[in-house]
Each structure stands twice: as structure tokens, then as C-alpha cells.
Amino acid sequence: MKLKKRLLLFLALALVMALAVGCGAPKQEEGKKEEPKQEQEEGQKEAAAEPIKIGVNYELSGAVATFGQHTVNGIKLALAEVNDAGGVLDGSQIEPIILDNKSEGAESTSVATKLITSEKVVAHLGAATTGNTLAAVPIATQYKVPLLTTSATNPKVTVDDSGNVREYIFRTCFIDPPQAIVGAEFAYNDLGGKKAAIYFDNTNDYSKGLAEVFEEEFVKLGGEIVSKEAFSPQDNDFRPVVTKFKQAGADVVYVPGYYQQVGLIINQAREIGLDAPFLGADGWDSPKLVEIAGAEALNNTFFTNHYASSDPSEKVQKFVEAYKAEYGEVPSSFAALGYDAAKLIVDAIERAGSADPDAIKDALAATKDFDAVTGKLTFDENHNPIKEIAIIEMLDGNQELKTKKAPK
């Protein structure tokens, strides 16, 4: 009997184990059935992570390389912040495709073509200067890809010769006439200048346009233009002309040029004893200006600009600290404009709910009160931003915010 009981107990245990093994089998089958679903979910995640390409066409070498380099630094900082925060739309990352236009118009055209036709970018940032931007405008217009320039200030960039707004072209900087008008008002009302001399680059539309508007506004205010002279980028001895300004009794000198020539002109003016205040525009904004002119020579000089790193606003200081942490230097206005342009493109994509170029273009045109580092930005009917203009004073080689003026 004991043997029979043990045998029955053994058979019962064997049956339980067999059932246990049998019950486990379906679970493995269920696991196999879930694999396609997991693969599908992973595939969806990979699709969501497909990057959105933004074209970046800037002057990374050549005559105005610091403009492009600083702008691209600002763009990269902004897009890194966007990507680190989870990207845009369904979590897509933004991929900047950065190419060097070598500060040349023909190269800017070539770069724009490559970015749009080969890289398939959904928007085009750049270039920094008016000439190089105008070289890219026909390409962006032909392929209907929105172009957002950060610092091309000539009115013709967004409006054609017939006065029609270019549908796909925008900018984050103010245009030339308002900064020349603000400059003239500052020279006459704030600096007390009554006799102005003007020294401009006769080969450059940017410089010529600023000089014309400044002269018109300064005379309208009651001032007198005692001398007006032109230079070319190849010139390096400006002493005869600044001596002429001194002899004419100029009590303010307007030089709407780029930092390379401006630095030499101011340095040589101080050498011959011309101590009058010098005034200029955003083309002055480069650390190279101090290297060329010398910090002491730049005292009593001013220029209109898009922002000031010394602006105490929380938004400006947060940007300045982030930029310094990344690049180890104080950001110029070109860096700030690049940062704003990149954030504005991302904002337009979010508002459009799509990375389609036409949808981005429509969202850009509808931009209102965008909270940028360079000021709250609303586009007018010509795709120009409406915002305040900063006036920078150079003090011992440092840029200090003197005041802000709203264009009239």
C-alpha cells in the first residue's frame, strides 16, 4: 500500500508539472505576437526623429568673416537649445546645414542653390550683408523657400525695384533709413552737433544709402553738412580727408562703413587732432574695431545697433551668459540677430504646425510681438521688423548702451 501511495503521489506531481509547462507555452506565443507592435512603435519614434533641415548661408571667411562667424554662433546656440528642449512639432530635431559664402555674392548664390536643391532645406538663413543676401534672393524666390536675413539692412532686400514685397524674403534687423534717421537725431539733439561731416564708402550701397538719409534728416533738423567725402575699401591713408573735416569746423563726423575702414579712419583722425564725436551704424559692430582703432581713440564715438550686451533686461542677460559659456566672449549684435532668427524660424514652424516652406512663409508674415533678444518684433507689410534701435557708446574699448530710440 505504501508503494501504491508513493506511486500515485509521483504521478500526481508529474501531472502538475506537465500542466505548469503547458500553461507557460501560450505566454511565449503571446510574447512573439507583440514583437511586430514593438517594432512598429520603434519605427514611429524613428520617423518622429527625422531632422528638419535649415540652410545657413554665411560669411565664414573673406572680408567680413566676423559678421558671419558671430551670426552662425548665435544660430547654433539657439538651435541647440531647441533640440535639447525636445525639438519642434512632433519632437523633430532641427539640423542646420552650414555653408561658407566666402563674403562673395557669386558664392552666396551657389550656396543658396545647393542648400535648396540638394540639401532640401525648408528655410534659408542668411546672408549677413546686403550684397550677399541679394545674391541669394532670386534662388529662394524661384524655389519658394523662405529666406530670413539677419543683418542685410538695404530696403531692396524685401522689396523689388517695382515696389512689390518679395513674398518669401524676411529679415530680423531694422532697415537702413530708420537707423540713419535715429543717428541724425542723436547727433543733432543729444550730441549737440550743428556742423556735420560725412565720410562714406562709395562702392557700397549700404554705406551710400545711410549717408544720403543722414544728410537729409540732419539738414531737416537745422544742421549743416560742412563736408562730404567718399572712400573705397582699398584706401588706407585717410589723414588728408579727416584734416579737411577738422579745417571745415565739423563738430560731428558720420561714417556709415564697416569696421575695417572705420577703425583706421578714427585712429588717423585722432592722430591729426580731430577730437569731434564720430557716429556710425551697425557695420561698426566687431571686436576688430577696437584692435584696429585702439580703445582710447574710440572714446567719444557712437553707433546705432540692434542690441547692446550691457542692456540690463533679463532676456538679454540670459542670452549673453549662455553665449559666453559656449564661446567665451561677449556676443555681438550679429550673434544676437542670428539667435533671434533661428528661434523665429522654429516659432514659425510651431505656429504653422508644419515644416512645409509655404506654411513657414505664411507664419513668418503673421509674426506679431515675437519676444526676441533684440527687442519685441512685429513684421510690417514689407517684412521689416518694427522695433527700437539701440545707440552704443564706446568707452575705453567697451560697448555701453547709451540709449534706445524708436524710429518715427
Side-chain angles (χ1 to χ4, degrees), residues 53 55 112 115-117 120-125 136-137 139-148 167-170 356-358 360-361 364:
K53 292 184 178 180
L115 288 171
I116 294 173
T117 62
K120 308 297 183 186
V121 300
V122 301
H124 179 290
L125 296 178
V137 162
I139 308 302
T141 301
Q142 176 184 351
Y143 290 99
K144 298 185 176 181
V145 171
L147 182 154
L148 181 60
E167 188 177 2
Y168 288 84
I169 314 300
F170 302 82
D356 174 73
D358 265 314
I360 296 171
K361 176 261 296 179
L364 283 173

Side-chain angles (χ1 to χ4, degrees), residues 26-275:
K27 290 182 178 178
Q28 291 177 352
E29 290 298 321
E30 287 173 7
K32 288 180 180 177
K33 288 178 182 177
E34 288 179 355
E35 284 181 3
K37 184 179 180 181
Q38 290 174 354
E39 290 174 359
Q40 184 179 11
E41 289 175 351
E42 289 173 359
Q44 289 173 342
K45 288 179 180 177
E46 289 177 1
E50 187 72 21
I52 296 172
K53 292 184 178 180
I54 303 293
V56 181
N57 175 357
Y58 274 94
E59 294 81 346
L60 302 180
S61 62
V64 289
T66 65
F67 292 168
Q69 290 162 358
H70 291 178
T71 308
V72 170
N73 284 347
I75 291 170
K76 289 164 63 178
L77 177 63
L79 295 183
E81 290 179 357
V82 170
N83 289 336
D84 288 347
V88 63
L89 296 178
D90 54 0
S92 295
Q93 297 283 285
I94 301 287
E95 180 184 356
I97 308 297
I98 302 170
L99 297 178
D100 178 14
N101 64 34
K102 303 177 183 176
S103 300
E104 298 173 2
E107 192 65 23
S108 180
T109 302
S110 176
V111 165
T113 304
K114 182 176 181 180
L115 288 171
I116 294 173
T117 62
S118 299
E119 297 291 347
K120 308 297 183 186
V121 300
V122 301
H124 179 290
L125 296 178
T129 65
T130 290
N132 295 332
T133 300
L134 284 172
V137 162
I139 308 302
T141 301
Q142 176 184 351
Y143 290 99
K144 298 185 176 181
V145 171
L147 182 154
L148 181 60
T149 176
T150 46
S151 46
T153 49
N154 191 291
K156 293 180 181 177
V157 168
T158 61
V159 178
D160 65 22
D161 291 337
S162 300
N164 300 314
V165 64
R166 302 184 197 272
E167 188 177 2
Y168 288 84
I169 314 300
F170 302 82
R171 69 178 114 220
T172 53
C173 58
F174 47 68
I175 59 176
D176 288 338
Q179 72 166 327
I181 291 171
V182 164
E185 291 173 349
F186 179 76
Y188 189 83
N189 295 323
D190 297 70
L191 296 178
K194 299 296 180 281
K195 296 181 177 180
I198 299 175
Y199 204 10
F200 66 100
D201 183 347
N202 199 33
T203 69
N204 187 303
D205 288 340
Y206 159 80
S207 186
K208 289 190 289 186
L210 285 167
E212 290 172 6
V213 176
F214 178 90
E215 179 179 5
E216 181 180 346
E217 186 67 18
F218 192 76
V219 171
K220 189 187 301 180
L221 289 167
E224 177 187 0
I225 305 300
V226 295
S227 184
K228 185 176 182 181
E229 300 288 339
F231 62 87
S232 71
Q234 291 74 37
D235 295 341
N236 54 35
D237 183 5
F238 304 98
R239 293 175 185 84
V241 173
V242 292
T243 299
K244 185 176 179 181
F245 292 164
K246 184 181 178 184
Q247 293 170 342
D251 52 18
V252 62
V253 181
Y254 188 58
V255 188
Y258 295 147
Y259 57 88
Q260 304 97 326
Q261 291 81 35
V262 170
L264 287 174
I265 290 168
I266 293 175
N267 179 278
Q268 292 174 17
R270 299 312 190 208
E271 277 183 15
I272 60 99
L274 179 54
D275 298 324

